[in-house]
Amino acid sequence: MKGFKFYERILGAFHDHPTVSKLVVLSSVSGGGLLAFSDNNQSQNLISDSAQGECKKKKVVVLGTGWAGTSFLKNLKSSSYDVHIVSPRNYFAFTPLLPNVTNGTVEARSIVEPIRSIVRKKNFKVEFKEAECYKIDPVKKKIHCRSRHAKNLGGNDEFTMDYDLLVVAMGACSNTFNTPGVLEYAYFLKEVEDAQKIRRSIIDCYERASLPNISEEEKKRIMHFVVVGGGPTGVEYAADLHDYAVEDLAQLYPSLKDHLRITLIEAGDHILNMFDARITEFATEKFCRDGIDVKTGSIVTKVSEKDISTKDRKTGQTGSVPYGMVLWSTGIATRPVIREFMKQIGQGNRRVLATDEWLRVEGCDDIYALGDCATIIQRSIMEDVVAIFSKADKNNTGVLDLQDFKEVVDHICERYPQVNIYLQKKKLKNFDDLLKGAQGNDKKKIDIEMFKQALSEVDSQMKNLPATAQVAAQQGAYLANCFNRMEQCEKRPEGPLRFRGAGRHRFHPFRYKHLGQFAPLGGEQAAAQLPGDWISIGHSTQWLWYSVYASKLVSWRTRILVISDWFRRFIFGRDSSKI
Amino acid sequence: MKGFKFYERILGAFHDHPTVSKLVVLSSVSGGGLLAFSDNNQSQNLISDSAQGECKKKKVVVLGTGWAGTSFLKNLKSSSYDVHIVSPRNYFAFTPLLPNVTNGTVEARSIVEPIRSIVRKKNFKVEFKEAECYKIDPVKKKIHCRSRHAKNLGGNDEFTMDYDLLVVAMGACSNTFNTPGVLEYAYFLKEVEDAQKIRRSIIDCYERASLPNISEEEKKRIMHFVVVGGGPTGVEYAADLHDYAVEDLAQLYPSLKDHLRITLIEAGDHILNMFDARITEFATEKFCRDGIDVKTGSIVTKVSEKDISTKDRKTGQTGSVPYGMVLWSTGIATRPVIREFMKQIGQGNRRVLATDEWLRVEGCDDIYALGDCATIIQRSIMEDVVAIFSKADKNNTGVLDLQDFKEVVDHICERYPQVNIYLQKKKLKNFDDLLKGAQGNDKKKIDIEMFKQALSEVDSQMKNLPATAQVAAQQGAYLANCFNRMEQCEKRPEGPLRFRGAGRHRFHPFRYKHLGQFAPLGGEQAAAQLPGDWISIGHSTQWLWYSVYASKLVSWRTRILVISDWFRRFIFGRDSSKI
């Protein structure tokens, strides 16, 4: 009983001092690697202080708890706002590990962090409402929300909320390209529930194919898993499914080993076409070795109950592929609520919600949009070229010497990031060189026409940011930082000169810093495209993947859970129960 | 990169030798407790050998993968059968930990073990079919099965299977006592999916109550959680829910702390009425201290969308209880397929499927039934009293002396276990004393009337076994053992004498060995009723509970998973994401 006493005391300590730092040492299978951490949640809910001064505080409503919204929330430190979060999901999900959930390598619960746990650590009041915003009213500054609950809890219920500042971070939905049958028959991989559904569906296929009275042909159909879309998600899922099937399921369903077939259908000429050609090549070869069938240049025209209709992009030849499970991962589309909002604010012709470089929705001063639901419309330098020229030409002489530019060149480069990209591409040292080129190297002064000519090609370097977690997270952190220093920067603006107006912008514009992108390829191998076009492929890259993702996880809790899940998988393999 | 090499090598070892024993040492938070285990799966799938001699093998079909079916499968060692398992669930679930799944202390996946993993370790062929048996045909020796799958996989499909020996271990369903509204509105806690649903429902209630525009009264209703049934499941669930709400959810939903109410409704006079009075009392007091409302003597007459109608058993007074979530755990009922089968074999008047002491269904020589779906009909000694007497009276003298009994007394005691219970209760040393009592202590011989009189009260000690996991598991192991030694025991029977026939029974009859029962009461306390009416209550009992359940888990995999889940809970608390 002495042993029990010891445990009880430890247990008691955990219970009596739940807020004290807990020091946990996990000495794990990893060659004895020692991992120590201390989870310090000194900051408690300070709800009581919200009563005073509430009337002065601006009400910030955040829509969404994905990468952008959660990153905003985590980085928001100023207590001068009354923050409300509205999302149909009361948790943040670490989406890059979703493919791992589909095969049970990682538990669904390990990659999610309840928003209220994050909220709890804030030293100011944050309220969370589990509801979906279905309408934004920028005129009345209101959002309309709908909550879905069981009938006995009141069923669907609607309410409105007003805001002073709105942060739209609702993400996007899957793009079906209006292909018939996709919504009915295909699986997606955007939400945690999607991953769980896919998992059950795969096991369903195996169980169904194991039943008696199933013809050989039907078995082949059921055991054919198709992934549509050769982007990172599709490729990673196909690779993970292959590992799961070959390493684990083959042992449990030995009679189906030879019936398994995995096909990856991509409309473009290559899989992973946003990556370097070396990665694409490596991935294609690896898939070929693994027996994953890669069909490029093939467009899916229809998904029926039991087969997929395809069309070759070049020859126009049509085909029919019988399948058991199909995953649709061909990119994202704008959510209906955002499309509706765009119409209201005169962006009806655009494809995506447009913001300026400060993440403010064009035409709405109080609404910010970030993450997959929005795109930054880079300002064209040619549009502002006259204004820039006249700003530089302080004395209205109509001509500028290089000296005149000294004062504005940094502002130009900050306001129009395409300038620096263009300089880099043309291997020019600086802005002066660009102008010198236009001058023909000898003249000392340039006029507006010469200036226009010098900049005429710069705008070709404007780029849209990719719709990735990395971008969304950086935007969330950027915006939170702006909010944190709002007062300070209103008094003392720190952004570039306003070329079309007076004074300076309040903040530096958002600048994306690309940290690289991974493409796990299965068999404990991965590819990575790191900044500066560094390429890394192989087993060590998979370990890099493990360490980067472990370090990027949202909390110590999820970090430990995911790491221990990985170890469980190494030891026990993946589970095949239909749970 | 050296570090990576090391990992790669370990990893490689795991991959290259998946069948070699793996030695894993987990040094865990538990005060450095060292836990070492080696998972030895030397036995591989020996499918190839099934072709030879298949025709000679008897085809054994097992229905169900619960405690009874899985225990049977795990203990079956004889390779002289062609074994087929049919169950709608492709996994075994460690049901005693279900309440822990409802609040996320333990992961759903941690308490399940895929049947195919168990099958894989057998050194003979076992086939699993994921389907539900909906009809047993004992005349044609066939079962009719139905598989439920997504429409594109073929939807619902039916097939039949024949058998030589059938093992029915399909368990039972929840007993609603035909109370209106229970199926529509109440939750059950029998399956893993049930636990997940309950979990989501609780979080739903909290989220719904956090929305704006919810009246104070409605909040109170939503935050009222009701458990109907004061048995071990209901009590444990109420206790676990209380801990979850108070220790974890109260921190995340501080504004709802005062709205929470948990009520336990029990029709009888006490909760835990199968336990010792001391346990009942302790539990009632603890619940009272915790603020869990215990309503005994109250019958639920109807469950509506938002309230529960009750009736006091004594006063007849009716009442209405508004609720947010209601769990129904009032015991079990016979499944429709079993009821149908009972009608066919002339057991239509019985409540449960009846078997003899060898677990053979009465009236069906080739069908065995075990676990919750069946009950052993204890043979009444008075029914056989004449046969017993004449078996003992070898020389047909019409009277017996004590010497005559010497040869049959052990057989009597084995065949009619109520004899021993009766002797124990009456504090008699042995059977002789029982007869002596009837003789009036002086006569040396007894006739049939005296014999009848001596045994007349013995049958009052016949008892039905409780419908617990323990009984089911022991029955499964017993039956597997019989199957293992079938040939041997047919040649050399080892059971008691057949009093109504010639020779001996093939096997010893099934005898249940009660190892005790736990009732976890929350707050790291538990009660246990151990064999010999030992009572243990308190924190140390909870630790006993942890160790017993950890040791009883079905595999090393689940064992490690559950233990690590417990540690995760100690460190990080329970999770509140609606996953």
Side-chain angles (χ1 to χ4, degrees):
Chain A
M1 281 302 168
K2 256 188 183 167
F4 284 151
K5 272 279 159 71
F6 175 78
Y7 286 110
E8 273 174 50
R9 219 175 294 160
I10 291 193
L11 195 62
F14 274 111
H15 274 247
D16 299 346
H17 310 287
T19 59
V20 188
S21 327
K22 296 168 192 167
L23 186 72
V24 177
V25 180
L26 286 178
S27 157
S28 54
V29 195
S30 62
L34 203 72
L35 195 80
F37 78 91
S38 111
D39 179 10
N40 234 317
N41 54 343
Q42 327 106 318
S43 49
Q44 281 293 295
N45 255 351
L46 298 178
I47 296 153
S48 48
D49 77 342
S50 64
Q52 332 132 325
E54 182 109 48
C55 48
K56 284 178 266 162
K57 283 187 177 180
K58 277 197 177 174
K59 185 169 176 181
V60 176
V61 175
V62 182
L63 301 179
T65 50
W67 279 96
T70 307
S71 164
F72 175 80
L73 177 64
K74 288 199 80 166
N75 287 283
L76 192 66
K77 289 189 180 72
S78 164
S79 58
S80 51
Y81 302 99
D82 175 22
V83 183
H84 295 254
I85 302 162
V86 177
S87 169
R89 268 178 306 285
N90 77 352
Y91 53 84
F92 162 76
F94 191 82
T95 47
L97 293 183
L98 275 185
N100 286 267
V101 174
T102 58
N103 58 28
T105 305
V106 169
E107 276 298 323
R109 200 180 310 288
S110 303
I111 64 161
V112 303
E113 181 74 12
I115 287 298
R116 290 177 191 275
S117 303
I118 299 170
V119 161
R120 202 182 135 201
K121 289 175 190 149
K122 295 275 151 196
N123 57 355
F124 51 91
K125 191 182 166 189
V126 178
E127 288 210 5
F128 174 79
K129 310 277 173 232
E130 193 194 62
E132 195 187 342
C133 168
Y134 66 92
K135 191 171 184 253
I136 299 168
D137 185 341
V139 181
K140 292 187 186 150
K141 297 181 94 175
K142 260 188 200 325
I143 55 162
H144 297 254
C145 303
R146 188 183 292 132
S147 70
R148 286 173 205 279
H149 287 285
K151 217 175 145 206
N152 86 318
L153 294 184
N156 294 354
D157 199 25
E158 302 194 346
F159 61 91
T160 61
M161 273 176 92
D162 42 13
Y163 62 81
D164 295 315
L165 294 169
L166 184 67
V167 178
V168 182
M170 301 168 83
C173 53
S174 295
N175 196 348
T176 66
F177 297 101
N178 292 321
T179 313
V182 174
L183 287 178
E184 289 95 314
Y185 301 113
Y187 290 84
F188 300 99
L189 189 48
K190 275 196 75 68
E191 310 285 347
V192 178
E193 285 90 347
D194 293 342
Q196 292 173 318
K197 271 187 220 159
I198 290 174
R199 181 191 159 70
R200 275 191 289 264
S201 161
I202 293 290
I203 302 292
D204 254 347
C205 289
Y206 271 89
E207 289 297 353
R208 168 79 184 169
S210 307
L211 290 180
N213 311 336
I214 303 283
S215 69
E216 207 49 22
E217 195 189 3
E218 177 77 349
K219 250 187 214 179
K220 267 193 187 158
R221 176 182 78 81
I222 294 174
M223 292 297 294
H224 186 203
F225 306 125
V226 180
V227 177
V228 181
T233 308
V235 166
E236 181 174 357
Y237 177 71
D240 274 11
L241 176 61
H242 171 265
D243 286 1
Y244 185 29
V246 169
E247 289 170 17
D248 299 273
L249 296 177
Q251 323 264 339
L252 300 181
Y253 302 81
S255 62
L256 296 174
K257 221 180 332 196
D258 299 330
H259 293 84
L260 172 75
R261 236 173 83 217
I262 302 174
T263 302
L264 183 66
I265 300 180
E266 161 66 38
D269 291 333
H270 311 284
I271 58 170
L272 297 176
N273 54 25
M274 66 291 290
F275 281 87
D276 188 277
R278 282 166 289 174
I279 290 181
T280 302
E281 206 174 303
F282 180 86
T284 312
E285 270 169 27
K286 181 168 185 314
F287 275 20
C288 183
R289 273 200 310 280
D290 286 349
I292 299 173
D293 202 3
V294 178
K295 277 193 183 168
T296 51
S298 188
I299 297 167
V300 172
T301 53
K302 191 182 162 193
V303 179
S304 313
E305 198 178 289
K306 300 187 178 182
D307 43 41
I308 297 168
S309 308
T310 59
K311 197 172 121 184
D312 193 281
R313 208 159 46 93
K314 280 174 198 150
T315 64
Q317 206 182 350
T318 59
S320 171
V321 185
Y323 73 93
M325 199 280 308
V326 56
L327 174 76
W328 192 268
S329 67
T330 58
I332 57 170
T334 308
R335 283 189 192 279
V337 47
I338 300 285
R339 252 187 283 139
E340 193 53 43
F341 172 57
M342 285 164 68
K343 271 187 211 158
Q344 281 179 70
I345 58 170
Q347 291 197 12
N349 296 329
R350 287 194 182 278
R351 273 191 337 110
V352 213
L353 186 61
T355 73
D356 63 17
E357 291 90 336
W358 291 267
L359 308 184
R360 227 162 20 181
V361 173
E362 279 186 5
C364 305
D365 268 4
D366 312 313
I367 305 184
Y368 297 80
L370 51 168
D372 288 0
C373 71
T375 194
I376 296 173
I377 298 298
Q378 194 73 63
R379 187 84 177 179
S380 144
I381 199 166
M382 288 308 283
E383 213 178 307
D384 293 342
V385 70
V386 179
I388 298 168
F389 191 88
S390 63
K391 197 85 166 193
D393 183 19
K394 275 185 196 163
N395 312 321
N396 278 323
T397 57
V399 283
L400 300 175
D401 57 21
L402 292 179
Q403 201 55 32
D404 285 333
F405 278 108
K406 273 263 162 79
E407 280 174 45
V408 292
V409 69
D410 286 346
H411 295 274
I412 294 176
C413 289
E414 185 172 13
R415 184 73 185 84
Y416 309 95
Q418 60 266 47
V419 172
N420 277 337
I421 302 174
Y422 184 77
L423 293 178
Q424 226 168 2
K425 207 184 161 198
K426 293 279 165 187
K427 295 191 172 124
L428 297 169
K429 247 193 300 177
N430 53 31
F431 199 80
D432 293 356
D433 285 355
L434 180 68
L435 296 178
K436 271 183 198 150
Q439 286 166 300
N441 259 337
D442 48 351
K443 290 187 204 158
K444 293 268 170 198
K445 287 171 187 285
I446 57 169
D447 60 17
I448 178 79
E449 288 312 314
M450 283 166 165
F451 189 59
K452 275 185 185 170
Q453 201 203 322
L455 297 176
S456 59
E457 280 175 40
V458 167
D459 284 338
S460 64
Q461 298 304 316
M462 293 199 299
K463 269 184 192 164
N464 281 336
L465 295 177
T468 62
Q470 214 175 123
V471 170
Q474 288 185 22
Q475 289 182 336
Y478 165 82
L479 193 65
N481 201 25
C482 292
F483 273 56
N484 291 338
R485 300 180 308 121
M486 188 81 85
E487 264 176 71
Q488 178 190 334
C489 288
E490 249 155 26
K491 284 179 203 145
R492 214 178 295 174
E494 60 179 23
L497 274 177
R498 287 180 200 272
F499 291 108
R500 287 189 167 234
R504 302 174 65 161
H505 289 278
R506 280 183 303 180
F507 304 108
H508 295 292
F510 171 72
R511 194 69 71 242
Y512 171 57
K513 200 175 159 204
H514 185 63
L515 300 173
Q517 195 174 4
F518 280 104
L521 301 173
E524 296 300 327
Q525 297 201 56
Q529 184 150 5
L530 302 169
D533 275 337
W534 259 57
I535 301 294
S536 162
I537 302 176
H539 290 289
S540 54
T541 314
Q542 179 70 31
W543 283 99
L544 186 64
W545 181 91
Y546 281 125
S547 24
V548 167
Y549 278 8
S551 74
K552 288 284 172 197
L553 276 160
V554 74
S555 70
W556 273 111
R557 191 188 132 269
T558 50
R559 215 161 288 160
I560 299 292
L561 295 193
V562 166
I563 292 173
S564 65
D565 282 346
W566 283 334
F567 281 124
R568 289 171 169 198
R569 203 278 277 163
F570 284 141
I571 304 168
F572 300 113
R574 305 170 185 91
D575 170 57
S576 73
S577 325
K578 205 159 78 190
I579 288 286
Chain B
M1 282 301 165
K2 257 192 183 164
F4 284 151
K5 273 279 159 70
F6 176 76
Y7 285 112
E8 272 174 52
R9 220 173 295 159
I10 291 193
L11 195 61
F14 273 111
H15 274 249
D16 299 346
H17 311 287
T19 59
V20 188
S21 325
K22 296 168 193 166
L23 185 72
V24 179
V25 180
L26 285 177
S27 156
S28 54
V29 196
S30 62
L34 203 72
L35 195 79
F37 78 91
S38 111
D39 180 6
N40 234 318
N41 52 344
Q42 327 106 315
S43 48
Q44 281 292 296
N45 255 347
L46 298 178
I47 296 154
S48 47
D49 77 340
S50 62
Q52 332 133 321
E54 182 109 48
C55 46
K56 283 178 264 164
K57 284 186 176 182
K58 277 197 176 175
K59 185 168 177 183
V60 176
V61 175
V62 183
L63 302 179
T65 50
W67 280 96
T70 307
S71 164
F72 175 80
L73 176 64
K74 288 198 81 167
N75 286 285
L76 193 65
K77 289 188 181 72
S78 164
S79 58
S80 51
Y81 302 100
D82 175 24
V83 183
H84 293 255
I85 302 162
V86 177
S87 169
R89 269 178 307 285
N90 76 352
Y91 53 84
F92 162 76
F94 191 82
T95 47
L97 293 183
L98 274 185
N100 286 268
V101 175
T102 59
N103 58 27
T105 306
V106 169
E107 277 298 324
R109 200 179 311 288
S110 303
I111 66 162
V112 303
E113 181 74 13
I115 287 297
R116 289 176 191 275
S117 303
I118 300 171
V119 162
R120 203 182 133 198
K121 288 174 190 149
K122 295 275 151 198
N123 56 357
F124 50 91
K125 190 182 169 192
V126 178
E127 286 211 6
F128 175 79
K129 310 278 174 229
E130 194 193 63
E132 196 186 340
C133 167
Y134 67 93
K135 192 171 182 249
I136 299 168
D137 185 341
V139 181
K140 292 190 186 149
K141 298 182 89 172
K142 261 187 198 323
I143 55 163
H144 296 253
C145 304
R146 187 184 291 129
S147 70
R148 288 173 204 279
H149 288 284
K151 216 174 144 208
N152 87 316
L153 294 185
N156 293 355
D157 199 24
E158 302 193 348
F159 61 91
T160 61
M161 272 176 92
D162 42 13
Y163 63 82
D164 295 315
L165 294 168
L166 184 67
V167 178
V168 182
M170 301 168 84
C173 54
S174 294
N175 196 348
T176 66
F177 298 101
N178 292 322
T179 312
V182 173
L183 286 178
E184 288 95 315
Y185 301 114
Y187 290 84
F188 299 99
L189 190 45
K190 276 196 73 69
E191 310 285 347
V192 178
E193 284 91 346
D194 292 342
Q196 291 173 318
K197 272 187 216 157
I198 290 174
R199 181 192 159 71
R200 276 191 288 264
S201 162
I202 294 290
I203 303 293
D204 254 347
C205 289
Y206 271 89
E207 289 297 352
R208 168 79 185 173
S210 307
L211 290 180
N213 311 335
I214 303 283
S215 71
E216 207 48 26
E217 194 189 1
E218 177 77 348
K219 250 185 215 178
K220 267 192 187 157
R221 176 181 78 81
I222 293 174
M223 291 298 292
H224 185 202
F225 305 125
V226 180
V227 178
V228 181
T233 308
V235 166
E236 181 175 357
Y237 178 70
D240 274 11
L241 176 61
H242 171 265
D243 285 1
Y244 184 31
V246 169
E247 289 170 16
D248 299 272
L249 296 177
Q251 323 263 340
L252 300 181
Y253 302 80
S255 64
L256 297 174
K257 219 181 331 197
D258 300 329
H259 293 83
L260 172 75
R261 236 174 83 218
I262 301 174
T263 302
L264 182 66
I265 300 180
E266 160 64 37
D269 291 333
H270 311 285
I271 57 170
L272 296 177
N273 54 26
M274 67 292 291
F275 281 88
D276 189 276
R278 283 167 288 176
I279 290 179
T280 302
E281 206 174 301
F282 180 87
T284 312
E285 270 169 27
K286 180 168 188 309
F287 274 21
C288 182
R289 276 200 310 278
D290 286 348
I292 299 173
D293 203 1
V294 178
K295 276 193 184 169
T296 52
S298 190
I299 297 167
V300 171
T301 54
K302 191 182 162 194
V303 179
S304 313
E305 196 178 289
K306 298 187 179 181
D307 42 41
I308 296 168
S309 307
T310 60
K311 196 172 121 184
D312 192 282
R313 207 159 45 95
K314 280 176 197 147
T315 64
Q317 208 182 348
T318 58
S320 171
V321 185
Y323 74 93
M325 196 282 304
V326 57
L327 174 76
W328 192 268
S329 67
T330 59
I332 55 168
T334 308
R335 283 188 192 278
V337 47
I338 300 285
R339 250 187 284 136
E340 194 53 44
F341 173 55
M342 286 164 67
K343 271 187 213 159
Q344 281 179 69
I345 57 169
Q347 292 197 11
N349 296 327
R350 289 194 182 276
R351 274 191 335 107
V352 213
L353 186 60
T355 71
D356 63 16
E357 292 91 336
W358 290 267
L359 308 183
R360 229 165 14 184
V361 174
E362 280 187 2
C364 305
D365 268 4
D366 311 313
I367 305 183
Y368 297 81
L370 52 168
D372 289 1
C373 69
T375 195
I376 295 173
I377 299 300
Q378 195 72 65
R379 186 84 176 180
S380 147
I381 198 167
M382 288 308 284
E383 214 178 306
D384 293 342
V385 70
V386 179
I388 298 168
F389 191 87
S390 61
K391 197 85 171 191
D393 182 17
K394 276 186 197 165
N395 313 321
N396 279 322
T397 56
V399 284
L400 300 175
D401 56 20
L402 293 180
Q403 202 55 34
D404 285 333
F405 278 109
K406 275 259 164 84
E407 281 173 43
V408 292
V409 67
D410 286 347
H411 295 275
I412 294 177
C413 290
E414 186 173 14
R415 183 73 186 83
Y416 310 95
Q418 60 266 47
V419 173
N420 277 338
I421 303 175
Y422 185 77
L423 294 177
Q424 227 169 2
K425 208 186 161 196
K426 292 282 167 186
K427 294 189 174 122
L428 296 171
K429 250 193 298 181
N430 52 33
F431 199 79
D432 294 355
D433 286 355
L434 180 68
L435 295 179
K436 272 184 199 151
Q439 285 166 299
N441 259 337
D442 48 353
K443 290 188 205 158
K444 294 268 170 200
K445 287 174 188 281
I446 56 169
D447 59 16
I448 179 79
E449 287 312 315
M450 283 166 165
F451 189 59
K452 275 186 185 168
Q453 201 202 325
L455 298 176
S456 61
E457 280 176 40
V458 168
D459 283 339
S460 65
Q461 297 305 316
M462 293 198 299
K463 269 181 191 166
N464 282 334
L465 295 177
T468 61
Q470 217 175 119
V471 170
Q474 289 185 21
Q475 290 182 338
Y478 165 81
L479 193 64
N481 202 25
C482 292
F483 273 56
N484 291 340
R485 300 180 308 122
M486 188 80 85
E487 265 177 69
Q488 178 188 334
C489 290
E490 251 157 25
K491 284 181 203 146
R492 213 177 296 176
E494 60 181 24
L497 274 177
R498 288 181 199 268
F499 291 107
R500 289 192 166 227
R504 302 174 66 160
H505 288 278
R506 278 183 303 180
F507 305 107
H508 295 292
F510 172 70
R511 195 68 72 242
Y512 172 57
K513 200 175 158 204
H514 184 63
L515 300 174
Q517 195 175 5
F518 281 105
L521 301 172
E524 295 300 327
Q525 297 199 54
Q529 185 151 2
L530 302 169
D533 274 341
W534 260 58
I535 301 294
S536 162
I537 303 177
H539 291 290
S540 53
T541 315
Q542 179 69 33
W543 283 100
L544 187 63
W545 181 91
Y546 282 125
S547 21
V548 167
Y549 278 9
S551 73
K552 289 284 172 197
L553 276 161
V554 73
S555 70
W556 274 110
R557 191 188 133 269
T558 51
R559 215 161 288 162
I560 299 292
L561 295 192
V562 166
I563 293 172
S564 67
D565 281 347
W566 283 335
F567 280 124
R568 288 169 168 198
R569 201 280 276 165
F570 285 141
I571 304 167
F572 300 112
R574 303 170 186 92
D575 169 59
S576 74
S577 327
K578 206 160 75 188
I579 287 289

